[in-house]
Amino acid sequence: MKTITKLISVSILLIIIYISFSAGDANAGKSNCEAYIYVSNNSLFEINLTIDGFPSGNLLVGKSKTYTINLQNDQGKRIKVKAEYQDPDYIDPKAINYVTKTKVECGGSDSVFVAFTK
């Protein structure tokens, strides 16, 4: 009788451990996907880019680049692009914010064309 009790208690303990470790993943059933933003610098100045709140480097005059955006939970969203440039007439840099025309879906793309002139 004691061996049956020990076997049952050990099996219950193993089941509890298995359930606690398998249910611990909060992202189970959720996935991420990628979308793409094409940014073209058609201005007279080199620009520094911030895409969706993350610094994304600079873009030289007349250059274009495609940036990859990670969309969480497979939901489309509007992407914010901040283009900042050094204006020779001012000490502080100037910035212009762009927002994509539509919500960018998984595997989709949109484009932003930056054009600063004097």
Side-chain angles (χ1 to χ4, degrees):
M1 191 68 159
K2 288 183 179 181
T3 57
I4 294 175
T5 308
K6 286 181 183 180
L7 286 175
I8 291 174
S9 62
V10 168
S11 62
I12 290 174
L13 180 65
L14 289 174
I15 291 171
I16 291 173
I17 290 172
Y18 175 74
I19 290 172
S20 65
F21 283 113
S22 66
D25 188 12
N27 290 331
K30 298 179 182 177
S31 64
N32 296 330
C33 65
E34 294 178 342
Y36 306 97
I37 299 292
Y38 175 81
V39 180
S40 178
N41 184 6
N42 298 329
S43 67
L44 300 174
F45 306 103
E46 178 180 331
I47 58 174
N48 292 321
L49 292 173
T50 304
I51 298 178
D52 219 22
F54 296 104
S56 299
N58 60 359
L59 196 57
L60 299 175
V61 175
K63 299 294 181 182
S64 301
K65 190 171 180 184
T66 302
Y67 294 91
T68 304
I69 310 302
N70 190 9
L71 299 176
Q72 295 182 354
N73 302 331
D74 296 341
Q75 294 179 351
K77 68 183 230 180
R78 290 179 167 241
I79 306 297
K80 297 174 188 149
V81 177
K82 178 181 176 184
E84 188 175 47
Y85 71 99
Q86 285 296 123
D87 190 346
D89 295 337
Y90 298 96
I91 295 173
D92 295 329
K94 292 194 169 209
I96 293 183
N97 294 316
Y98 297 92
V99 178
T100 57
K101 294 174 223 113
T102 59
K103 287 185 176 182
V104 180
E105 302 287 333
C106 291
S109 64
D110 203 345
S111 55
V112 173
F113 299 95
V114 179
F116 298 121
T117 59
K118 275 297 208 184

